[in-house]
Amino acid sequence: MDQNDVSRLIQNFAWADEAFNRSTAEGKFNVSPGTYRPVLHVEGSDLFVDDVHWGYRSAWAEASGKIPMAINTRLEKITNRYWKPLLTKGRAIVPAAGWYEWTGEKGQKQPWHIHRRDGQPIYMAALANFAPDTEVKTSNGFTIVTADAEGGMVDVHDRRPVVLTAEDAAFWLDPGISAENAEQFVRSVCLGPEFFEWFMVNRAIGNVHNDGPELVLPIESGLP
């Protein structure tokens, strides 16, 4: 995930009187799961930005060892028994400049940077647990909601994050909206492939220790 300029990513929420930014995370071009990243959510009537662990596993799942940590969750499953509590009380938005997908064979995989054609930030629907911190960090993590890819985006990956406009993100975050209505709404308004473009980027993005604007520059086919 590309979260290289956090302040720009959260500036479009004019519907909120103020976004209380409690995040201390640095902007990064190469964000990996298992790290703490800025996430938007509503407490009461106020909008907050907090750093949350990317990857969720409920406390009972952690104890049982039967369910792995999830960094993304299928839209088709968010109303099941495992995800329904977070859909009810843990709806969140992950702001980003773009995300990465990979194509090709193992050992020769090619990364692609996917982003909005108009250069606007993307707002990914997410589910999170905002309970007080515990020793099990994954139990207070977030997972990004995904849907089937469409159009040319299928050539890059068969799934895609559910991306919303800033206005639709406000509805998704509204705690007054029921879980059922939120699920139906997000199905109908997620942005389609025509809103996005994608290009190949340097394979150095595959190393989580690499970061910098050079990693998101488009490259021609056949280059490293």
Side-chain angles (χ1 to χ4, degrees):
M1 179 169 57
D2 177 0
Q3 279 187 321
N4 70 73
D5 186 351
V6 175
S7 61
R8 181 181 78 89
L9 298 177
I10 63 175
Q11 69 183 3
N12 287 344
F13 286 81
W15 53 268
D17 293 333
E18 183 179 3
F20 296 94
N21 188 355
R22 300 185 292 205
S23 169
T24 59
E26 296 182 0
K28 289 180 64 68
F29 291 88
N30 190 11
V31 174
S32 63
T35 58
Y36 285 80
R37 301 309 306 168
V39 171
L40 291 144
H41 65 111
V42 170
E43 292 181 10
S45 59
D46 295 321
L47 180 67
F48 289 88
V49 186
D50 285 308
D51 295 332
V52 183
H53 181 268
W54 185 7
Y56 172 77
R57 191 184 197 189
S58 72
W60 68 261
E62 181 77 26
S64 71
K66 295 180 179 180
I67 299 177
M69 181 184 79
I71 62 172
N72 49 56
T73 301
R74 289 175 175 265
L75 176 59
E76 302 90 334
K77 295 184 177 182
I78 62 174
T79 57
N80 69 21
R81 291 177 62 187
Y82 188 76
W83 296 111
K84 184 77 174 284
L86 298 191
L87 180 63
T88 302
K89 296 184 178 181
R91 296 193 297 270
I93 289 291
V94 179
W99 76 93
Y100 302 101
E101 298 293 359
W102 299 75
T103 58
E105 300 298 325
K106 185 176 181 180
Q108 294 294 324
K109 286 189 174 293
Q110 174 61 56
W112 297 73
H113 189 282
I114 306 174
H115 46 274
R116 283 188 56 154
R117 290 183 184 277
D118 59 9
Q120 288 296 307
I122 63 174
Y123 300 106
M124 296 182 281
L127 300 175
N129 185 21
F130 296 102
D133 287 338
T134 66
E135 292 183 1
V136 183
K137 59 186 177 182
T138 55
S139 66
N140 293 328
F142 74 86
T143 179
I144 295 171
V145 180
T146 66
D148 285 334
E150 300 173 344
M153 201 176 283
V154 174
D155 295 334
V156 180
H157 201 271
D158 62 348
R159 304 290 296 180
R160 61 188 170 93
V162 170
V163 178
L164 308 175
T165 65
E167 293 76 17
D168 289 337
F171 189 94
W172 169 253
L173 291 175
D174 186 347
I177 304 302
S178 70
E180 291 75 15
N181 287 342
E183 186 266 347
Q184 293 171 11
F185 175 78
V186 82
R187 281 181 180 273
S188 65
V189 302
C190 62
L191 299 182
E194 68 274 13
F195 286 87
F196 301 94
E197 64 180 5
W198 46 92
F199 49 68
M200 291 183 288
V201 293
N202 197 296
R203 289 175 183 165
I205 202 75
N207 186 329
V208 298
H209 299 293
N210 294 330
D211 197 67
E214 69 279 1
L215 296 181
V216 296
L217 296 176
I219 63 170
E220 296 180 4
S221 177
L223 292 180

